[in-house]
Structures are given as C-alpha cells and as structure tokens.
Amino acid sequence: MLSESDSLVRFFGGAFHQDCFDDDPTWEDVVQRYKESVSPDEHAALAHRIELELLTSSTTESELVQRLSKLGSYYRPEADGFTNRKWLIALVEYLKT
C-alpha cells in the first residue's frame, strides 16, 4: 500500500508531468482524466491528503512551490492566474465533485 506521500508523488508526478498538457489542455482536464481512472473513494482520499499534507502543513507560497516541485508537478498555477494555495483549494474541490 502506498503511503500518503507516495500517493501525492504518484498523482502530481503522474498527472502533472512535463507533457501533461499535450493531451489535456487545462488542469481540470488533467484531473478529470485522473478521476476517470480511479474510484470515487480514491479521488476523495487524494483530496483529503492534499488538504492534510499540503494545505494545512505548508504555510507560505514558497513552501508550496517547493513541495509541489518535489512531488513531481510541472504545472505552474500562476500561468492560469492562481497562487499555488488557491489552485490546491480549487483542486481539492474538483476532486470532491
């Protein structure tokens, strides 16, 4: 079984890899592809992990930038007008729907 951090690496590194927008033009499309590949329980659990491990434990924007990079994410929310924190909040909400 994957640890919580391993699940975050698998999601951010797998879904938001350097070529992720070749097939999916928006971050929502990337997440939708992920949601279609896992059970509702799995994407709800991922939302919870993001809340616990990133949103509540990272206090600054620069911390979030570093943590997302270490998790393998190539997506830069600033390009879409988000801070990393606001994007993670939107991501969690999208995963919960």
Side-chain angles (χ1 to χ4, degrees):
M1 179 169 218
L2 293 174
S3 75
E4 291 182 356
S5 293
D6 289 341
S7 295
L8 291 177
V9 168
R10 188 178 74 189
F11 173 70
F12 286 107
F16 289 97
H17 56 83
Q18 62 190 13
D19 298 321
C20 67
F21 295 112
D22 288 352
D23 295 321
D24 300 305
T26 68
W27 71 265
E28 293 96 333
D29 293 330
V30 172
V31 177
Q32 186 60 39
R33 181 185 296 263
Y34 165 79
K35 286 174 64 173
E36 291 170 359
S37 72
V38 299
S39 72
D41 287 343
E42 287 177 280
H43 56 82
L46 177 63
H48 183 69
R49 288 180 184 128
I50 291 169
E51 287 175 318
L52 287 178
E53 291 193 37
L54 295 174
L55 289 170
T56 60
S57 64
S58 299
T59 56
T60 67
E61 186 67 11
S62 63
E63 270 184 339
L64 285 173
V65 169
Q66 290 175 3
R67 295 205 53 207
L68 287 168
S69 180
K70 285 182 183 177
L71 291 170
S73 178
Y74 279 80
Y75 175 58
R76 298 298 173 251
E78 314 81 57
D80 290 324
F82 288 99
T83 63
N84 284 278
R85 180 169 303 282
K86 287 184 180 181
W87 174 64
L88 287 172
I89 291 167
L91 172 60
V92 165
E93 290 306 311
Y94 195 85
L95 287 166
K96 289 180 178 180
T97 60

